[in-house]
């Protein structure tokens, strides 16, 4: 049941998720023009190629860096607050919420405009509530197959009948009124939910919920319905140049409303940032020049030669810059800066539950997946591949997220001997060639889908050695990052490594990864376990509480029984910055932060 604190405004959404009042927002309209200096150029690198720039069409972290710069949702997160604090972005304040927790009313700031584009025919185009209605409908349009449909799927009152008609006719009617999604006037958005959802405002802070203009999408969309090449938003930056998989240049949106930097310190280290940044008109950086460098040594060389201002360390690079969790003295002496956080993230491996070799809920298939999981050592992988720069993950909800259980221990032991005995028991016999066969005598081959980077290949080699220990033959299928994402959305992979970084700091964001209705969206292993799904649906009606946590523990045990996934680790995220970078701190939720810090000229 909803409490009285739902009557007018949210005050809190759980032990570590805080909501700011209107006074805390950094989106106050201070100036009509951007103060960004075109001579301040931030040089940044991606380790993996982006996939495109339409909020409805992409789900990868690197495209999200750009989305966060160009498109704006109703809400965002305070730059320095710890724990994470939700603050208005284009909204005037936090939503008004009905007593039953079902109806949300959002007021949108007046005088926010989309970046100039020929589509607008020289006229200023103001952001309105209707833009959010259209943008949210796009996430649910069946013809788009948006990987972000999970944000709103099943949540909006009256939308199911609209979607049913769209599936029948093959066309989504964007002009058809929906009971639960209305612009009641130019600056007022009203959303009615099918059931209470404690996380709903945080969903609207996620990058796919950014506002797009309908005329832009209709003019630039491709055959799939996406405007990947022509992003036009209300945010602080615009896309100036894009060479897919190679180079992205963002320039400051000259008409972006600025704000005065006035964040509060959460730590003593934060105070140095406050002292350097307080009172500045933002954003300051005029150009963000992003290059894609898939090989780690290329990224390190670029930074070492002062050709990159800021980048994220990973893999073998960690040992070149960090010792015992701290920046090496020789780098610190040069003025290099380190921002280090334990990511609210999970690295995991999944088996496609629809695959005829490794999928299904029969005892022999469960035994096969369980044996592979028992032969895998997360501790060894962290030591060898991550160079110790990660924490072992036993629970699907990582540290720093509401619902994390620090005392939870997985019931799956690391035991090569037990794994072999289990396979023997279920008649995965060793053939004359030394490799195990399926119970019916046919060859057993596990195909692992990998990326084409050195790090991906190292991960595949680690798993090959792991499966060699239990006499299971493994092959690899290498493909570009974007193609592998597409393949797993279509349930076409057999076995693959995956990762998820928090979109919002609540357990639901991780447990939804394994919900049956999210197949083709976020459920990469195409897992559908009725008992898990039933408990997940119960948790969606609950606020953060010991009762909800108890259900999450049951759900984690269910996954251990059926073994559709093997949890590995949570990474430390280490960001290195040159001395000329001022006021940078890696944020645990926001994908990009360049609208919050500065550069020396």
């Amino acid at each position: 049941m909803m409490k009285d604190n739902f009557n007018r405004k949210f005050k809190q959404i759980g032990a570590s998720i805080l909501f700011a009042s209107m006074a805390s927002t950094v989106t106050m309209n201070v100036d009509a023009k951007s103060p960004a200096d075109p001579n301040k150029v931030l040089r940044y690198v991606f380790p993996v190629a982006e996939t495109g720039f339409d909020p409805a069409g992409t789900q990868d972290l690197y495209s999200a860096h750009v989305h966060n710069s160009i498109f704006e949702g109703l809400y965002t997160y305070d730059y320095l607050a710890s724990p994470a604090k939700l603050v208005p972005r284009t909204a005037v304040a936090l939503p008004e919420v009905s007593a039953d927790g079902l109806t949300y009313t959002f007021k949108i700031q007046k005088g926010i405009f989309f970046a100039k584009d020929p589509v607008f025919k020289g006229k200023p185009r103001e952001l309105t509530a209707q833009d959010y209605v259209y943008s949210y409908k796009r996430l649910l349009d069946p013809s788009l197959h948006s990987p972000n449909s999970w944000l709103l799927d099943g949540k909006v009152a009256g939308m199911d009948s609209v979607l049913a008609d769209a599936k029948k006719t093959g066309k989504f009617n964007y002009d058809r009124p929906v009971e639960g999604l209305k612009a009641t006037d130019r600056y007022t958005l009203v959303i009615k939910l099918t059931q209470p959802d404690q996380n709903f405002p945080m969903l609207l802070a996620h990058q796919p919920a950014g506002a797009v203009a309908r005329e832009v999408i209709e003019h630039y969309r491709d055959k799939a319905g996406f405007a990947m090449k022509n992003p036009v938003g209300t945010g602080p930056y615009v896309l100036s140049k894009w060479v897919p998989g190679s180079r992205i240049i963002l320039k400051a949106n000259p008409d972006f409303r600025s704000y005065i930097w006035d964040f509060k310190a959460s730590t003593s280290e934060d105070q140095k940032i406050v002292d350097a940044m307080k009172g500045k008109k933002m954003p300051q950086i005029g150009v963000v020049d992003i290059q894609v460098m898939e090989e780690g040594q290329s990224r390190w060389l670029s930074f070492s030669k002062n050709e990159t201002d800021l980048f994220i360390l990973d893999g073998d690079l960690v040992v070149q810059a960090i010792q015992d969790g701290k920046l090496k003295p020789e780098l610190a002496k040069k003025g290099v800066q380190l921002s280090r956080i334990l990511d609210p993230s999970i690295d995991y491996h999944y088996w496609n539950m629809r695959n005829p070799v490794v999928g299904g809920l029969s005892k022999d298939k469960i035994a096969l997946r369980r044996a592979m999981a028992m032969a895998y050592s997360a501790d060894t992988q962290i030591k060898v591949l991550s160079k110790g720069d990660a924490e072992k993950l036993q629970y699907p909800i990582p540290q720093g997220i509401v619902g994390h259980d620090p005392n939870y221990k997985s019931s799956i032991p690391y035991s090569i001997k037990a794994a072999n005995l289990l396979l023997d028991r279920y008649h995965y016999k060793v053939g004359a060639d030394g490799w195990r066969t399926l119970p019916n005598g046919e060859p057993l081959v596990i195909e692992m889908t990998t990326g084409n980077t050195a790090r991906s290949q190292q991960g595949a080699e680690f798993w090959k050695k792991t499966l060699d220990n239990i006499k299971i033959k493994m092959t690899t299928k290498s493909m570009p990052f974007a193609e592998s994402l597409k393949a797993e959305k279509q349930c076409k992979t057999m076995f693959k490594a995956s990762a998820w970084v928090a979109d919002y700091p609540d357990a639901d964001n991780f447990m939804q990864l394994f919900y049956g209705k999210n197949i083709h969206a976020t459920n990469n292993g195409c897992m559908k376990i009725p008992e898990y799904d039933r408990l997940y649906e119960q948790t969606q009606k609950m606020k953060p509480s010991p009762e909800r946590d108890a259900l999450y523990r049951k759900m984690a045990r269910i996954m251990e029984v059926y073994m559709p996934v093997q949890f590995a680790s949570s990474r430390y995220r280490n960001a290195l910055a040159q001395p000329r970078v001022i006021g940078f701190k890696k944020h645990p939720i926001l994908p990009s932060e360049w609208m919050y810090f500065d550069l020396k000229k």
Side-chain angles (χ1 to χ4, degrees):
M1 297 294 291
M2 295 296 105
K3 302 294 184 181
D4 289 341
N5 65 348
F6 268 97
N7 285 346
R8 296 300 293 171
K9 289 186 177 181
F10 266 127
K11 294 181 180 178
Q12 191 169 357
I13 285 190
S16 68
I17 310 303
L18 303 178
F19 287 83
S21 67
M22 180 181 172
S24 299
T25 178
V26 297
T27 57
M28 300 297 286
N29 193 355
V30 176
D31 228 335
K33 300 290 182 180
S34 172
D37 185 342
N39 295 312
K40 292 181 178 179
V41 180
L42 176 72
R43 299 162 300 173
Y44 194 79
V45 294
F46 285 169
V48 176
E50 73 298 332
T51 56
F53 307 126
D54 186 323
T58 63
Q59 194 182 60
D60 64 284
L61 175 62
Y62 305 102
S63 298
H65 279 65
V66 178
H67 292 169
N68 189 48
S69 308
I70 293 176
F71 303 102
E72 294 187 292
L74 293 165
Y75 299 103
T76 187
Y77 291 91
D78 183 285
Y79 181 44
L80 295 183
S82 180
K85 182 191 293 184
L86 198 72
V87 294
R89 189 166 186 182
T90 64
V92 170
L94 296 178
E96 293 184 355
V97 187
S98 61
D100 60 6
L102 293 177
T103 303
Y104 288 71
T105 302
F106 305 89
K107 294 290 185 179
I108 296 169
Q109 296 179 46
K110 298 179 181 179
I112 295 177
F113 293 90
F114 283 93
K116 292 176 182 176
D117 189 89
V119 169
F120 303 136
K121 300 178 181 179
K123 298 179 181 179
R125 172 62 163 83
E126 189 179 20
L127 174 72
T128 69
Q130 189 60 44
D131 293 314
Y132 283 107
V133 171
Y134 173 73
S135 299
Y136 297 165
K137 285 181 176 180
R138 287 189 76 228
L139 298 180
L140 295 172
D141 183 344
S143 68
L144 294 181
H145 303 291
S146 172
N148 303 304
S149 60
W150 63 273
L151 286 170
L152 298 173
D153 190 25
K155 293 181 170 67
V156 179
M159 184 62 77
D160 284 351
S161 61
V162 178
L163 295 178
D165 286 348
K167 291 174 182 177
K168 288 179 182 178
T169 63
K171 185 175 182 181
F172 187 92
N173 184 356
Y174 283 90
D175 297 313
R176 177 174 168 177
V178 178
E179 175 195 358
L181 186 58
K182 296 178 180 178
T184 56
D185 63 43
R186 189 171 177 84
Y187 305 106
T188 305
L189 173 68
V190 178
I191 300 178
K192 184 177 181 181
L193 304 180
T194 55
Q195 63 184 31
D197 185 345
Q198 295 282 338
N199 296 316
F200 192 62
M202 287 188 286
L203 297 179
L204 303 185
H206 188 26
Q207 282 74 50
V212 298
R214 182 172 181 173
E215 56 266 52
V216 169
I217 300 299
E218 292 182 347
H219 182 76
Y220 291 116
R221 63 189 173 194
D222 55 26
K223 292 180 179 179
F226 299 118
M228 294 291 196
K229 301 178 181 178
N230 301 89
V232 180
T234 61
Y237 292 91
V238 298
L239 181 64
S240 175
K241 180 180 180 180
W242 182 30
V243 180
S246 176
R247 194 88 175 264
I248 303 163
I249 296 179
L250 304 174
K251 290 187 177 180
N253 175 2
D255 298 316
F256 178 72
R257 64 204 185 282
S258 70
Y259 67 92
I260 301 297
W261 201 102
D262 191 27
F263 297 99
K264 309 302 180 187
S266 294
T267 67
S268 57
E269 287 297 310
D270 287 353
Q271 191 56 50
K272 298 176 184 178
I273 295 176
V274 172
D275 293 343
M277 294 295 298
K278 189 175 177 62
K280 289 188 178 185
K281 287 185 177 181
M282 302 299 291
Q284 283 286 313
I285 296 171
V287 178
V288 180
D289 188 346
I290 304 167
Q291 294 191 61
V292 177
M293 298 183 189
E294 293 189 341
E295 293 304 321
Q297 285 303 319
S298 297
R299 299 194 294 277
W300 178 252
L301 181 62
S302 178
F303 186 82
S304 301
K305 293 169 64 177
N306 197 22
E307 295 172 353
T308 295
D309 294 306
L310 178 65
F311 86 116
I312 305 299
L313 285 167
D314 59 8
D316 293 339
L317 299 184
V318 173
V319 297
Q320 301 204 45
I322 295 174
Q323 185 174 355
D324 299 326
K326 295 182 179 180
L327 193 66
K328 286 187 174 180
E330 58 268 30
L331 292 174
K333 191 177 294 185
K334 294 178 181 179
V336 173
Q337 304 167 74
L338 169 67
S339 180
R340 175 178 167 88
I341 63 171
L342 182 63
D343 255 354
S345 67
I346 62 174
D347 285 339
Y348 64 100
H349 304 89
Y350 68 82
W351 292 273
N352 180 357
M353 294 293 281
R354 292 185 175 182
N355 182 273
V357 175
V358 298
L361 302 181
S362 61
K363 289 183 179 181
D364 60 323
K365 300 299 185 183
I366 294 171
L368 175 59
R369 296 191 297 268
R370 185 183 291 267
M372 288 189 277
M374 292 167 67
Y376 164 80
S377 171
D379 291 321
T380 303
Q381 180 163 355
I382 289 170
K383 181 180 178 180
V384 174
L385 298 186
S386 299
K387 310 304 179 185
D389 204 50
E391 294 290 336
K392 185 176 179 179
L393 186 70
Q394 307 227 28
Y395 198 51
I397 304 164
Q399 292 185 45
I401 298 297
V402 175
H404 172 69
D405 184 349
N407 299 315
Y408 186 94
K409 301 297 181 185
S410 172
S411 64
I412 307 300
Y414 167 57
S415 175
I416 293 173
K417 180 178 179 181
N420 276 305
L421 289 173
L422 183 61
L423 291 169
D424 290 342
R425 179 181 176 183
Y426 282 90
H427 310 293
Y428 290 93
K429 298 178 180 179
V430 179
D433 60 358
W435 298 110
R436 291 188 183 272
T437 63
L438 290 166
N440 63 7
E442 293 181 2
L444 169 58
V445 179
I446 302 299
E447 180 185 80
M448 185 177 192
T449 300
T450 71
N452 47 21
T453 65
R455 182 175 174 82
S456 296
Q457 298 304 317
Q458 289 170 1
E461 183 61 28
F462 181 88
W463 263 101
K464 185 181 185 307
K465 291 178 180 178
T466 294
L467 297 188
D468 283 350
N469 288 331
I470 53 175
K471 302 177 179 63
I472 290 179
K473 188 175 184 178
M474 192 192 97
T475 62
T476 59
K477 184 177 182 179
S478 178
M479 59 177 64
F481 180 64
E483 289 184 23
S484 69
L485 289 180
K486 183 177 180 181
E488 64 188 2
K489 300 307 176 199
Q490 297 173 348
C491 298
K492 291 183 178 180
T493 56
M494 178 190 287
F495 175 52
K496 185 177 178 294
S498 193
W500 189 266
V501 182
D503 301 314
Y504 52 93
D506 186 80
D508 177 75
N509 189 226
F510 292 88
M511 302 309 277
Q512 61 83 24
L513 295 172
F514 315 107
Y515 179 46
K517 290 186 178 180
N518 286 343
I519 293 173
H520 305 308
T522 56
N523 184 344
N524 295 336
C526 304
M527 160 184 161
K528 188 173 182 61
I529 299 174
E531 187 179 359
Y532 182 97
D533 290 352
R534 177 179 59 80
L535 293 177
Y536 176 75
E537 289 167 0
Q538 287 184 37
T539 64
Q540 286 204 296
K541 302 174 185 178
M542 303 168 71
K543 63 183 179 181
S545 62
E547 292 77 17
R548 190 181 74 155
D549 291 345
L551 294 186
Y552 285 146
R553 285 190 290 273
K554 286 184 180 180
M555 294 160 70
R557 295 300 183 198
I558 288 169
M559 284 195 280
E560 289 168 18
V561 168
Y562 293 102
M563 214 61 231
V565 297
Q566 169 68 56
F567 296 109
S569 61
S570 292
R571 307 177 201 179
Y572 282 97
R573 189 164 295 262
N574 304 290
L576 283 192
Q578 299 285 5
R580 68 190 294 257
V581 176
I582 304 170
F584 169 75
K585 180 181 181 180
K586 188 73 196 82
H587 194 278
I589 306 297
L590 296 174
S592 55
E593 301 90 355
W594 39 68
M595 58 284 294
Y596 300 115
F597 63 89
D598 197 3
L599 294 173
K600 297 176 185 176
K601 287 187 179 180

